[in-house]
Amino acid sequence: MAEDEGGQSTGESGKNEPGKRGASQVVRGPGLRLGRPFGIPLYVSPSWFVVAAFITVLLAPQSGDATDPSNDFGNELGGWRYVLSLAYAVFLYGSVVVHELAHSALAKRLGLPVRRIVIHFLGGVSEIEKESDSPGKAFWIAFVGPLTSAALAGIGFAVYQVIPHEDSVSLGQKVAATLIFGFWASNLLVAIFNMLPGLPLDGGQLLRAAVWKATGRPMAGTVAAAWAGRVLAIAVFIVMNLIYVHDGTIQPFGLGLAVFMAMFIWYGATQALVVAKLRERIPGLSARKMTRRAISVDARIPLAEALRRAHEVNARGIVLVDGNERPTGLVNEAQVIATPEQRRPWVEAGDVAHPLDASLIVTADLMGEELLDVLRANPAPEYLVVETSGEIVGVLAASDVQAAFLGKPPGPPPAPRKMPV
């Protein structure tokens, strides 16, 4: 399942956000890291091991009942049935890994950054950090996953047809045939499930790309595919319950699985809609519009005096300058709030500031994705905003960018520790 930031669910958390520096830039992985195929970090969530154990226990009886005298395969396997079932679970999620790698590799080739791939109990997700800039790219990134799974299923099926798998073959041949059957069946399952036409599945991304192409508006595609996902969730719930009805009674396992799958699809579709609405605001983000008015002070001035001067001119940013009026640091709002008011006359402004380097200087003309790219590459709580000529415009706070992204008005920190600027 490919995950454009604007096309599907919000995906897993952990992105570097403006306002975090130093050790906070080291993002913990969401599980066990398996490697970096194609330069993309690949993780397995701990939840996968729970599902693998569940699949192993659930499917082991399907390999034959060792207590049934008429079941030669089950008698020969004995306890090895569980090993065979575990191998199927590995094949199933191995198919998901290849599926996600297909999404991610093509996305990288088309110039879209891929943060990581995460394999979890529901399957997997490719965290693509930017939305495709055309419906064509969005279509192919989504389609290549199911296409790869279907191709692997076809290869596995062809191999299965030419190897011996009759009841009369040896135990080793039966095991090999069972594993190959599991390989092509799991890939076919991944391909079919992901082609269902609704977000957050790949089929929903294809529908989104088609509507986007027809209307010229990506948001229209997302809305259509998200609502299709909600309808699909209801349909999956009904169909799965019908499958698990026996003698007029719904089996508890079937009911639980139906609820679980329906909730997964419904939630993913809803999140895709939320993220798409957020991303609609990105083009309107402007460094100039969000810049706070700022004053310049010497680093040795008492914090209370610096705040008084800022308050006089209704400024909410404080820039430290040296004797030549060159900016050297930015007063950190969070540290100001954390400083008790009675101590501020004895605390220097430089004690609650962070040094200014070139990575924390942004030009006032930056907008939209370009602005966010700069902030993501250099996370910090505040940035110095300058004209192309180098003239200081003011201070850009990461919190104000987040507020604008969420559609909230920027404002002073909440009481009781209100920054008096």
Side-chain angles (χ1 to χ4, degrees):
M1 180 167 59
E3 181 187 271
D4 276 0
E5 283 195 354
Q8 294 205 10
S9 62
T10 53
E12 281 59 30
S13 61
K15 295 175 185 174
N16 288 338
E17 297 177 359
K20 300 181 181 178
R21 284 185 69 80
S24 63
Q25 292 188 53
V26 180
V27 182
R28 288 186 178 273
L32 177 66
R33 180 166 165 171
L34 298 184
R36 291 179 59 90
F38 302 103
I40 304 166
L42 173 62
Y43 293 91
V44 174
S45 168
S47 62
W48 176 83
F49 297 96
V50 177
V51 174
F54 176 76
I55 292 175
T56 299
V57 174
L58 181 68
L59 295 184
Q62 307 302 322
S63 299
D65 184 358
T67 63
D68 183 359
S70 64
N71 193 339
D72 294 333
F73 188 34
N75 287 329
E76 289 180 280
L77 281 175
W80 288 98
R81 289 177 300 148
Y82 292 94
V83 177
L84 191 61
S85 298
L86 176 61
Y88 174 76
V90 173
F91 273 140
L92 175 61
Y93 280 87
S95 302
V96 173
V97 170
V98 176
H99 178 102
E100 296 302 330
L101 281 173
H103 286 309
S104 298
L106 182 58
K108 285 194 69 174
R109 186 173 182 85
L110 293 176
L112 301 180
V114 180
R115 183 163 179 263
R116 63 189 177 189
I117 296 173
V118 181
I119 305 302
H120 50 70
F121 68 107
L122 289 174
V125 62
S126 299
E127 297 183 14
I128 301 171
E129 294 191 315
K130 282 188 179 181
E131 184 179 1
S132 302
D133 57 9
S134 70
K137 285 185 180 180
F139 177 91
W140 284 109
I141 291 173
F143 185 57
V144 72
L147 181 63
T148 300
S149 298
L152 291 176
I155 294 171
F157 181 77
V159 173
Y160 183 75
Q161 296 305 308
V162 299
I163 64 171
H165 53 270
E166 298 81 9
D167 292 339
S168 59
V169 300
S170 67
L171 177 62
Q173 290 174 314
K174 287 181 180 178
V175 170
T178 302
L179 290 176
I180 293 174
F181 176 84
F183 172 80
W184 76 259
S186 59
N187 274 283
L188 183 62
L189 175 64
V190 170
I192 292 175
F193 178 72
N194 275 280
M195 283 299 292
L196 294 178
L199 290 175
L201 304 175
D202 294 331
Q205 286 282 33
L206 298 179
L207 175 60
R208 174 178 178 267
V211 176
W212 179 3
K213 177 71 173 178
T215 64
R217 296 186 298 118
M219 185 62 183
T222 301
V223 171
W227 277 103
R230 289 172 170 175
V231 173
L232 178 64
I234 297 172
V236 166
F237 176 78
I238 294 173
V239 170
M240 291 188 68
N241 273 298
L242 292 177
I243 292 174
Y244 282 94
V245 169
H246 296 285
D247 299 325
T249 303
I250 297 177
Q251 301 300 309
F253 171 78
L255 177 61
L257 186 60
V259 170
F260 186 77
M261 294 302 298
M263 288 181 63
F264 160 67
I265 296 174
W266 183 281
Y267 177 78
T270 302
Q271 286 297 101
L273 199 56
V274 170
V275 174
K277 289 180 178 179
L278 290 177
R279 287 195 65 85
E280 275 198 315
R281 299 191 181 105
I282 289 180
L285 297 179
S286 166
R288 187 181 299 278
K289 291 181 180 178
M290 293 183 290
T291 295
R292 297 178 176 183
R293 186 176 184 180
I295 63 168
S296 300
V297 300
D298 186 275
R300 293 167 295 181
I301 191 175
L303 176 60
E305 174 61 17
L307 294 175
R308 185 193 66 78
R309 294 183 188 181
H311 180 70
E312 282 185 346
V313 296
N314 198 29
R316 295 191 57 221
I318 300 175
V319 181
L320 303 184
V321 294
D322 61 16
N324 296 317
E325 294 297 314
R326 290 176 300 196
T328 60
L330 299 173
V331 170
N332 178 240
E333 185 175 63
Q335 292 187 48
V336 172
I337 296 171
T339 304
E341 190 169 351
Q342 63 272 21
R343 291 193 61 241
R344 292 174 183 175
W346 289 274
V347 174
E348 294 182 352
D351 294 335
V352 292
H354 54 83
L356 183 66
D357 57 50
S359 66
L360 302 185
I361 301 175
V362 300
T363 58
D365 293 332
L366 284 177
M367 296 185 64
E369 286 283 5
E370 188 179 4
L371 172 62
L372 292 183
D373 286 344
V374 171
L375 302 190
R376 276 194 292 252
N378 306 286
E382 290 94 11
Y383 303 83
L384 180 66
V385 181
V386 299
E387 299 286 4
T388 53
S389 62
E391 179 185 355
I392 295 176
V393 177
V395 172
L396 175 64
S399 59
D400 290 348
V401 178
Q402 184 178 24
F405 183 68
L406 296 176
K408 299 177 180 179
R417 290 182 173 180
K418 185 173 180 181
M419 182 175 178
V421 296

